[in-house]
Amino acid sequence: ELKVEQNPLFLSMQEGKNYTIYCNYSTTSDRLYWYRQDPGKSLESLFVLLSNGAVKQEGRLMASLDTKARLSTLHITAAVHDLSATYFCAVDTQFSGTYKYIFGTGTRLKVLA
Amino acid sequence: DAGVTQSPTHLIKTRGQQVTLRCSPKSGHDTVSWYQQALGQGPQFIFQYYEEEERQRGNFPDRFSGHQFPNYSSELNVNALLLGDSALYLCASSLGGWAYEQYFGPGTRLTVT
């Protein structure tokens, strides 16, 4: 079964602290995507990681991909309240001749002032 | 530059009815994907349209069908609505038949009573 799992599911952190969200997936894929979703809103694309070892940074967020370990991380540096949202990772792959685009379970982040 | 637009914003239907949701892709994009997002869950891939054909399909029954028009806009049709079809339906556009760099629309909130 294809799975994309995120850890943790819920994260409450203080402003100024650092933390990492983990995304594990069970299929072979060289492509991994990170999205942000605010309550009641649509998804915003954050990062597209297209190869093993890819690292991308935007502001206080940095994403990396290890395709051998089937693991991606989203690192938050010196969190601020505006980062409060739900973060999803997703992978796409061919599985048994069928295309799959699979989202993770999501990590609900709350940054406390 | 217009982003992805969807209509309607909200919709309430009764079990057994049929519904049509509409999506206009971001300017310059030719590929449209549809997702269903139940409350508190990650989006689930329904299908993708490119060059007016359904190119990829997720694990959804035939009650879910779609169409893409020559101007790249797309419709999602759901027949014989079930209570479990209540969800946020998201449309995403991209380029060239791939799902890289997807841009999501604001979504249509469907409630089935």
Side-chain angles (χ1 to χ4, degrees):
Chain A
E1 182 186 356
L2 299 179
K3 283 187 179 179
V4 180
E5 296 179 326
Q6 292 180 230
N7 179 38
L9 298 181
F10 298 95
L11 176 56
S12 180
M13 56 191 297
Q14 296 288 331
E15 277 193 329
K17 298 292 186 184
N18 305 332
Y19 208 84
T20 300
I21 299 170
Y22 298 88
C23 174
N24 289 93
Y25 54 98
S26 64
T27 182
T28 54
S29 176
D30 291 332
R31 299 184 295 270
L32 189 128
Y33 312 88
W34 283 97
Y35 294 90
R36 168 183 171 145
Q37 187 175 38
D38 292 297
K41 303 292 186 182
S42 188
L43 279 81
E44 174 190 355
S45 177
L46 295 175
F47 300 108
V48 177
L49 304 171
L50 298 177
S51 62
N52 185 43
V55 177
K56 290 197 174 180
Q57 183 165 4
E58 181 72 34
R60 301 174 187 274
L61 300 178
M62 183 174 71
S64 65
L65 177 61
D66 181 345
T67 59
K68 294 190 172 99
R70 300 183 184 178
L71 171 69
S72 179
T73 60
L74 180 66
H75 186 73
I76 303 159
T77 301
V80 293
H81 180 70
D82 285 350
L83 290 179
S84 298
T86 298
Y87 293 85
F88 291 98
C89 63
V91 298
D92 67 333
T93 186
Q94 289 285 343
F95 183 78
S96 299
T98 303
Y99 176 80
K100 302 284 185 184
Y101 196 105
I102 310 164
F103 278 82
T105 46
T107 296
R108 189 176 299 175
L109 171 65
K110 186 172 184 179
V111 180
L112 304 173
Chain B
D1 179 19
V4 180
T5 60
Q6 291 185 244
S7 63
T9 305
H10 296 89
L11 204 51
I12 300 175
K13 289 286 189 178
T14 305
R15 275 180 300 176
Q17 286 188 316
Q18 178 264 343
V19 68
T20 297
L21 311 181
R22 296 176 176 81
C23 171
S24 291
K26 178 180 167 64
S27 178
H29 283 184
D30 57 10
T31 303
V32 173
S33 301
W34 287 93
Y35 296 83
Q36 180 195 67
Q37 186 177 24
L39 199 61
Q41 298 184 20
Q44 301 285 321
F45 175 71
I46 302 175
F47 42 54
Q48 182 189 76
Y49 276 84
Y50 173 61
E51 294 184 331
E52 301 181 50
E53 290 187 8
E54 182 184 295
R55 298 288 181 161
Q56 315 283 356
R57 190 177 183 93
N59 190 26
F60 278 79
D62 292 343
R63 298 187 298 110
F64 289 78
S65 63
H67 187 76
Q68 186 178 36
F69 299 93
N71 67 353
Y72 309 123
S73 67
S74 176
E75 288 182 347
L76 164 65
N77 300 294
V78 186
N79 293 324
L81 285 167
L82 304 173
L83 293 179
D85 294 332
S86 295
L88 180 66
Y89 287 84
L90 295 165
C91 161
S93 76
S94 55
L95 193 59
W98 297 99
Y100 304 161
E101 297 280 7
Q102 286 192 109
Y103 291 81
F104 280 81
T108 294
R109 174 72 63 185
L110 172 65
T111 302
V112 182
T113 62

